[in-house]
Every structure is written in structure tokens, then in C-alpha cells.
Amino acid sequence: MDTNLTRREFLKFLKRLLAVTGLAALTAPIVAYFYPPKLEEEPSEPVYVGKQEEIPLNGSKTVGFGRYPALVVNTPQGFRAYSAVCTHFACLVKWDEERKAFLCPCHDAAFDPVDGHVLHGPTSVPLKSYAVTITNGEIYIGGNQE
Ligand code: FES
């Protein structure tokens, strides 16, 4: 068996290799889009939010919390944390500092920052709350501490 490649055979091999590599480079992002990495629904460990002074009174911070974001708000009654997922049809609620409420842009639901209850809107289910732990001025939410 002859193992010597001719120049033409080598260039043909190289062309095929580049075609396969290029095809893989083009299809990898498409495959990743349709099959994203699995995220925990909610983390089992507490999630770090930041330092207390980063969130002023009546201020809020959005943090990643497993598959969905969570909102941490500094109320006069202390820090509170909620899932940002609206309990109506799962739009993401946002903190409105002026109105001091979580507002849903989809169907105008509003939620109270102190206990997450519905202020008005098409749902009667409060926002899901998460435990807040403050250690040495550092805020953590969730985990198996509820
Ligand atoms: S999804 Fe939020 S009010 Fe409908």
C-alpha cells in the first residue's frame, strides 16, 4: 500500500478538513441556541446580591436567580426579595421607585414590595418571595433557608 500523498491529494484533504471545520463553527451556535445549557429552576445555595449600601432605601437590584431573575428591594421594613416572574402570565415585573411597587408591563399588575401581595391587576397570586440573609453587610437571597 502506498502511503505517500500527492500534492493534489493533500490539498483535497485540506479542503475537506476546512469545510468540515467551517461547517461545525457555523452550526455550533445554532445548536447551542436550540439546546441551551440547563439552568436550575431556583438555586439550592444562597445567591450573592451585593453590599447593603448598594441598594438605597426604596431602591432595588435585579439579580440572576437560576432560570429567572429575582428582585431585591430595600423597603422601610427591611430588604425583601421576590421572583421577577409575574404570577399572571409570567412577564417580568420591574421595580418602580416612584410608585414604590413592582409593575408588570404586560397587563398592568402591581405588587407590594413588603410582602409581594397584589395591589391591582388581573392576578390574585402574590409574587414568590425569597429569604434574605445579611451577613457582615453582604446580602444573600434564597437557598434552603426559607
Ligand atoms: S403577565 Fe403580568 S399582569 Fe399579565
Side-chain angles (χ1 to χ4, degrees), residues 16-58:
R16 285 187 181 151
L17 181 67
L18 288 174
V20 169
T21 307
L23 188 64
L26 286 174
T27 56
I30 296 167
V31 171
Y33 176 80
F34 287 108
Y35 300 98
K38 295 257 186 243
L39 285 176
E40 280 183 289
E41 195 69 28
E42 289 179 2
S44 54
E45 298 295 317
V47 169
Y48 180 68
V49 174
K51 295 183 180 297
Q52 266 182 293
E53 60 264 20
E54 288 177 32
I55 308 174
L57 185 63
N58 296 316

Side-chain angles (χ1 to χ4, degrees), residues 58-95:
N58 296 316
S60 172
K61 184 174 182 179
T62 304
V63 292
F65 194 73
R67 186 182 290 254
Y68 302 104
L71 296 160
V72 180
V73 63
N74 185 359
T75 74
Q77 289 79 15
F79 286 92
R80 303 288 196 267
Y82 302 96
S83 168
V85 178
C86 181
T87 56
H88 183 226
F89 279 136
C91 289
L92 295 181
V93 301
K94 300 229 184 300
W95 172 245

